């Protein structure tokens, strides 16, 4: 298994579940508290590549108030990525990266795809 990174929000129940799954499997990831240390545009581009998509809709939280406030519904790719970089609460969670693969762990059990 490659190096692991976990984009975490401690207030998120799904993040806590993923943290428990990783601990049960003996995985000690680099934990990114993304609300305190927001990923920049390059990091977001890398996440999309590791997720195997070019669609930033995969990593944006549409139910966050900022999504509507910024008028992101129907916005272009660049606008969505710039918004996530500027407003990290828009980043979907939890995201786990292992080596050169990543998943949005919704449901949390999706993280097992990276560990098997």
């Amino acid at each position: 298994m490659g190096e692991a990174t976990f984009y975490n929000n401690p207030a998120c129940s799904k993040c806590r579940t993923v943290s428990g799954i990783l601990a049960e499997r003996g995985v000690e990831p680099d934990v990114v508290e993304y609300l305190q240390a927001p990923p920049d545009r390059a990091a977001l581009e890398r996440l999309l590549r590791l997720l195997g998509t070019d669609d930033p809709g995969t990593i944006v939280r549409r139910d966050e108030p900022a999504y509507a406030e910024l008028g992101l519904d129907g916005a272009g790719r660049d606008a969505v990525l710039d918004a996530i970089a500027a407003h990290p609460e828009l980043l979907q969670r939890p995201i786990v990266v292992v080596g050169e693969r990543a998943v949005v762990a919704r449901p949390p059990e999706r993280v097992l795809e990276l560990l098997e």
Side-chain angles (χ1 to χ4, degrees):
M1 186 176 79
E3 190 171 312
T5 304
F6 174 31
Y7 288 82
N8 181 43
N9 175 347
C12 168
S13 63
K14 287 178 175 47
C15 290
R16 290 191 299 272
T17 300
V18 166
S19 183
I21 292 170
L22 293 172
E24 285 171 9
R25 299 291 174 114
V27 177
E28 295 182 21
D30 291 329
V31 177
V32 177
E33 303 286 349
Y34 67 89
L35 293 175
Q36 279 70 47
D40 62 15
R41 178 69 187 265
L44 294 172
E45 293 278 5
R46 179 174 183 269
L47 279 176
L48 287 177
R49 184 174 50 78
L50 296 177
L51 287 163
T53 184
D54 196 46
D55 178 8
T58 307
I59 61 169
V60 70
R61 292 178 56 84
R62 290 178 177 83
D63 56 349
E64 286 293 325
Y67 186 85
E69 290 165 10
L70 295 168
L72 294 178
D73 206 26
R77 181 181 188 281
D78 289 338
V80 173
L81 288 173
D82 288 343
I84 296 170
H87 302 273
E89 71 275 14
L90 289 169
L91 183 64
Q92 189 55 274
R93 62 183 187 248
I95 298 176
V96 180
V97 178
V98 175
E100 291 298 309
R101 295 172 54 220
V103 295
V104 176
R106 299 181 78 82
E109 293 73 25
R110 285 211 57 211
V111 74
L112 297 173
E113 297 171 22
L114 298 175
L115 305 178
E116 294 168 348

Coordinates of all heavy atoms in Angstrom, one line a residue, residues 50-102:
L50 N -6.6 11.6 -9.3 CA -6.5 10.4 -8.5 C -7.9 9.8 -8.3 O -8.0 8.5 -8.2 CB -5.9 10.7 -7.1 CG -4.5 11.2 -7.1 CD1 -4.0 11.4 -5.7 CD2 -3.6 10.2 -7.8
L51 N -9.0 10.6 -8.4 CA -10.3 10.0 -8.4 C -10.8 9.5 -9.7 O -11.8 8.9 -9.9 CB -11.3 11.1 -7.9 CG -11.3 11.5 -6.4 CD1 -12.0 12.8 -6.2 CD2 -11.9 10.4 -5.6
G52 N -9.9 9.8 -10.7 CA -10.2 9.3 -12.1 C -11.3 10.1 -12.8 O -12.1 9.5 -13.6
T53 N -11.4 11.4 -12.5 CA -12.4 12.2 -13.1 C -11.9 13.6 -13.4 O -10.9 14.0 -12.8 CB -13.7 12.3 -12.2 OG1 -14.7 13.0 -12.9 CG2 -13.4 13.0 -10.9
D54 N -12.5 14.3 -14.3 CA -12.2 15.7 -14.5 C -13.3 16.6 -14.0 O -13.3 17.8 -14.2 CB -12.0 15.9 -16.0 CG -11.3 17.1 -16.4 OD1 -10.3 17.5 -15.7 OD2 -11.7 17.9 -17.3
D55 N -14.3 16.0 -13.4 CA -15.5 16.7 -13.0 C -15.4 17.2 -11.5 O -15.5 16.4 -10.6 CB -16.8 15.8 -13.2 CG -18.0 16.5 -12.7 OD1 -18.1 17.7 -12.4 OD2 -19.1 15.7 -12.7
P56 N -15.3 18.5 -11.3 CA -15.2 19.0 -9.9 C -16.5 18.8 -9.1 O -16.5 18.9 -7.9 CB -14.9 20.5 -10.1 CG -15.4 20.8 -11.4 CD -15.3 19.6 -12.3
G57 N -17.6 18.4 -9.8 CA -18.9 18.1 -9.1 C -18.7 16.9 -8.2 O -19.4 16.8 -7.2
T58 N -17.7 16.1 -8.5 CA -17.4 14.9 -7.7 C -16.9 15.3 -6.3 O -17.1 14.6 -5.3 CB -16.3 14.1 -8.3 OG1 -16.7 13.8 -9.7 CG2 -16.0 12.8 -7.6
I59 N -16.3 16.5 -6.1 CA -15.7 16.9 -4.9 C -16.3 18.1 -4.2 O -15.8 18.7 -3.3 CB -14.2 17.1 -5.0 CG1 -13.8 18.1 -6.0 CG2 -13.5 15.7 -5.3 CD1 -12.3 18.5 -5.9
V60 N -17.5 18.6 -4.8 CA -18.1 19.8 -4.2 C -19.4 19.4 -3.4 O -20.1 18.5 -3.8 CB -18.4 20.8 -5.3 CG1 -19.6 20.4 -6.2 CG2 -18.7 22.2 -4.7
R61 N -19.6 20.1 -2.3 CA -20.7 19.9 -1.5 C -21.8 20.9 -1.9 O -21.7 22.1 -1.6 CB -20.4 20.1 0.0 CG -19.5 19.0 0.5 CD -19.1 19.3 2.0 NE -20.3 19.4 2.9 CZ -20.9 18.4 3.4 NH1 -20.5 17.1 3.2 NH2 -22.0 18.6 4.2
R62 N -22.8 20.4 -2.6 CA -23.8 21.3 -3.2 C -24.8 21.8 -2.1 O -25.5 22.7 -2.3 CB -24.6 20.5 -4.3 CG -23.8 20.3 -5.5 CD -24.6 19.5 -6.5 NE -23.8 19.3 -7.8 CZ -22.9 18.4 -8.0 NH1 -22.6 17.5 -7.0 NH2 -22.3 18.3 -9.1
D63 N -24.8 21.1 -0.9 CA -25.8 21.5 0.1 C -25.2 22.6 1.0 O -25.9 23.0 1.9 CB -26.2 20.3 0.9 CG -25.0 19.5 1.5 OD1 -23.9 19.7 1.1 OD2 -25.3 18.6 2.4
E64 N -24.0 23.0 0.8 CA -23.4 24.1 1.6 C -24.0 25.4 1.2 O -24.2 25.6 -0.1 CB -21.9 24.1 1.4 CG -21.1 23.1 2.1 CD -21.2 23.2 3.7 OE1 -21.2 24.3 4.2 OE2 -21.3 22.1 4.3
P65 N -24.3 26.3 2.1 CA -24.9 27.6 1.7 C -24.0 28.4 0.7 O -24.5 29.0 -0.2 CB -24.9 28.4 3.0 CG -25.1 27.3 4.1 CD -24.3 26.2 3.6
A66 N -22.7 28.3 0.8 CA -21.8 29.0 -0.1 C -22.0 28.5 -1.6 O -21.8 29.3 -2.5 CB -20.3 28.8 0.3
Y67 N -22.4 27.3 -1.8 CA -22.7 26.8 -3.1 C -23.7 27.7 -3.8 O -23.5 28.1 -5.0 CB -23.1 25.3 -3.1 CG -23.2 24.7 -4.5 CD1 -22.1 24.2 -5.1 CD2 -24.4 24.6 -5.1 CE1 -22.2 23.6 -6.4 CE2 -24.6 24.1 -6.4 CZ -23.4 23.5 -7.0 OH -23.5 23.0 -8.2
A68 N -24.8 27.9 -3.2 CA -25.9 28.7 -3.7 C -25.5 30.2 -3.7 O -25.7 30.9 -4.7 CB -27.2 28.6 -2.9
E69 N -24.8 30.7 -2.6 CA -24.4 32.1 -2.6 C -23.5 32.5 -3.7 O -23.5 33.6 -4.2 CB -23.8 32.3 -1.2 CG -24.7 32.3 0.0 CD -24.0 32.2 1.3 OE1 -22.8 32.3 1.4 OE2 -24.8 31.9 2.3
L70 N -22.6 31.5 -4.1 CA -21.6 31.8 -5.1 C -22.2 31.5 -6.5 O -21.5 31.7 -7.5 CB -20.4 31.0 -4.9 CG -19.6 31.3 -3.6 CD1 -18.5 30.3 -3.3 CD2 -19.0 32.7 -3.7
G71 N -23.4 31.1 -6.6 CA -24.0 30.8 -7.9 C -23.3 29.7 -8.7 O -23.1 29.8 -9.9
L72 N -23.0 28.6 -8.0 CA -22.2 27.6 -8.6 C -23.0 26.6 -9.4 O -22.4 25.8 -10.2 CB -21.3 26.8 -7.6 CG -20.2 27.7 -6.9 CD1 -19.5 26.9 -5.8 CD2 -19.3 28.2 -7.9
D73 N -24.3 26.6 -9.3 CA -25.1 25.6 -10.0 C -25.0 26.0 -11.5 O -25.3 27.1 -11.9 CB -26.6 25.7 -9.6 CG -27.3 24.4 -9.8 OD1 -26.7 23.4 -9.9 OD2 -28.6 24.5 -10.0
G74 N -24.4 25.1 -12.3 CA -24.2 25.3 -13.7 C -22.9 26.1 -14.0 O -22.6 26.4 -15.2
A75 N -22.1 26.4 -13.0 CA -20.8 27.1 -13.2 C -19.9 26.2 -13.9 O -19.9 24.9 -13.8 CB -20.3 27.6 -11.9
G76 N -18.9 26.7 -14.5 CA -17.9 26.0 -15.2 C -16.9 25.3 -14.3 O -16.8 25.7 -13.1
R77 N -16.1 24.4 -14.8 CA -15.1 23.7 -14.1 C -14.1 24.6 -13.3 O -13.9 24.4 -12.1 CB -14.3 22.8 -15.0 CG -13.2 21.9 -14.4 CD -12.5 21.1 -15.4 NE -11.6 20.2 -14.8 CZ -10.4 20.5 -14.3 NH1 -10.0 21.7 -14.3 NH2 -9.7 19.5 -13.8
D78 N -13.6 25.6 -13.9 CA -12.6 26.5 -13.3 C -13.3 27.3 -12.1 O -12.7 27.4 -11.1 CB -12.0 27.5 -14.3 CG -11.0 26.8 -15.2 OD1 -10.5 25.7 -14.9 OD2 -10.8 27.3 -16.3
A79 N -14.5 27.7 -12.3 CA -15.2 28.5 -11.3 C -15.4 27.6 -10.1 O -15.3 28.1 -8.9 CB -16.5 29.0 -11.9
V80 N -15.8 26.4 -10.3 CA -16.1 25.5 -9.2 C -14.8 25.2 -8.4 O -14.7 25.3 -7.2 CB -16.7 24.2 -9.6 CG1 -16.9 23.2 -8.5 CG2 -18.1 24.5 -10.2
L81 N -13.7 24.9 -9.1 CA -12.4 24.6 -8.4 C -11.9 25.8 -7.7 O -11.4 25.7 -6.6 CB -11.4 24.1 -9.4 CG -11.7 22.7 -9.9 CD1 -10.7 22.3 -11.0 CD2 -11.6 21.7 -8.8
D82 N -12.0 27.0 -8.3 CA -11.6 28.2 -7.6 C -12.4 28.5 -6.4 O -11.9 28.9 -5.3 CB -11.7 29.4 -8.6 CG -10.6 29.4 -9.7 OD1 -9.6 28.7 -9.5 OD2 -10.8 30.2 -10.7
A83 N -13.7 28.2 -6.4 CA -14.6 28.4 -5.3 C -14.2 27.4 -4.2 O -14.2 27.8 -3.0 CB -16.1 28.2 -5.7
I84 N -13.9 26.2 -4.5 CA -13.5 25.2 -3.4 C -12.2 25.6 -2.8 O -12.1 25.6 -1.6 CB -13.4 23.8 -4.0 CG1 -14.7 23.2 -4.5 CG2 -12.8 22.8 -3.0 CD1 -14.7 21.9 -5.3
A85 N -11.3 26.1 -3.6 CA -10.0 26.6 -3.0 C -10.2 27.8 -2.1 O -9.5 27.9 -1.1 CB -9.0 26.9 -4.2
A86 N -11.1 28.6 -2.5 CA -11.4 29.8 -1.7 C -12.3 29.6 -0.5 O -12.3 30.3 0.5 CB -12.0 30.9 -2.5
H87 N -13.2 28.6 -0.6 CA -14.2 28.2 0.4 C -14.1 26.7 0.7 O -14.9 26.0 0.2 CB -15.6 28.6 -0.1 CG -15.7 30.0 -0.4 ND1 -16.0 31.0 0.5 CD2 -15.5 30.7 -1.6 CE1 -16.1 32.2 -0.2 NE2 -15.8 32.0 -1.4
P88 N -13.1 26.3 1.6 CA -12.9 24.9 1.8 C -14.1 24.1 2.3 O -14.1 22.9 2.2 CB -11.7 24.9 2.7 CG -11.6 26.2 3.3 CD -12.2 27.2 2.3
E89 N -15.0 24.8 2.9 CA -16.2 24.1 3.4 C -17.0 23.5 2.2 O -17.8 22.6 2.4 CB -17.1 25.0 4.2 CG -17.9 26.1 3.4 CD -17.1 27.4 3.1 OE1 -15.9 27.4 3.3 OE2 -17.7 28.4 2.7
L90 N -16.7 23.9 1.0 CA -17.3 23.3 -0.2 C -16.7 22.0 -0.6 O -17.3 21.3 -1.4 CB -17.2 24.3 -1.4 CG -18.1 25.5 -1.3 CD1 -17.7 26.5 -2.4 CD2 -19.6 25.1 -1.4
L91 N -15.6 21.6 0.0 CA -14.9 20.3 -0.4 C -15.7 19.2 0.2 O -16.0 19.1 1.4 CB -13.5 20.3 0.1 CG -12.7 19.1 -0.3 CD1 -12.5 19.0 -1.8 CD2 -11.3 19.1 0.4
Q92 N -16.0 18.2 -0.7 CA -16.7 17.0 -0.2 C -15.8 16.3 0.8 O -14.6 16.3 0.7 CB -17.1 16.1 -1.4 CG -18.0 15.0 -1.1 CD -19.3 15.3 -0.4 OE1 -19.3 15.5 0.8 NE2 -20.3 15.5 -1.2
R93 N -16.4 15.5 1.6 CA -15.7 14.8 2.6 C -16.4 13.5 3.0 O -17.6 13.4 2.7 CB -15.5 15.7 3.9 CG -16.9 16.0 4.5 CD -16.8 16.9 5.7 NE -18.1 17.0 6.4 CZ -18.8 18.1 6.4 NH1 -18.4 19.2 5.8 NH2 -20.0 18.1 7.0
P94 N -15.6 12.6 3.5 CA -14.2 12.5 3.6 C -13.6 12.0 2.2 O -14.2 11.3 1.5 CB -13.9 11.4 4.7 CG -15.2 10.6 4.6 CD -16.3 11.5 4.1
I95 N -12.4 12.5 2.0 CA -11.6 12.0 0.8 C -10.4 11.3 1.3 O -9.7 11.9 2.2 CB -11.3 13.1 -0.2 CG1 -12.5 13.8 -0.7 CG2 -10.4 12.6 -1.3 CD1 -12.3 15.0 -1.6
V96 N -10.1 10.1 0.8 CA -8.9 9.4 1.2 C -8.1 9.1 0.0 O -8.7 8.6 -1.0 CB -9.3 8.1 2.0 CG1 -8.0 7.3 2.4 CG2 -10.1 8.4 3.2
V97 N -6.8 9.3 0.1 CA -5.9 9.0 -1.0 C -4.9 7.9 -0.5 O -4.4 8.1 0.6 CB -5.1 10.2 -1.4 CG1 -4.1 9.9 -2.5 CG2 -6.0 11.4 -1.9
V98 N -4.8 6.9 -1.3 CA -3.7 5.9 -1.0 C -3.0 5.7 -2.3 O -3.5 5.3 -3.3 CB -4.4 4.5 -0.5 CG1 -3.3 3.5 -0.4 CG2 -5.1 4.7 0.8
G99 N -1.7 6.0 -2.2 CA -0.8 5.9 -3.4 C -1.3 6.8 -4.5 O -1.5 8.0 -4.3
E100 N -1.7 6.2 -5.6 CA -2.2 7.0 -6.8 C -3.6 6.8 -7.0 O -4.1 6.9 -8.2 CB -1.4 6.6 -8.0 CG 0.1 7.0 -8.0 CD 0.2 8.6 -7.9 OE1 -0.4 9.3 -8.7 OE2 0.9 9.0 -7.0
R101 N -4.4 6.5 -6.0 CA -5.8 6.3 -6.1 C -6.5 7.0 -4.9 O -5.9 7.2 -3.9 CB -6.2 4.8 -6.0 CG -5.7 4.0 -7.2 CD -5.9 2.5 -7.0 NE -7.3 2.2 -6.7 CZ -7.7 1.2 -5.8 NH1 -6.8 0.6 -5.1 NH2 -8.9 1.0 -5.6
A102 N -7.7 7.5 -5.2 CA -8.5 8.2 -4.2 C -10.0 7.8 -4.3 O -10.4 7.3 -5.3 CB -8.4 9.7 -4.4

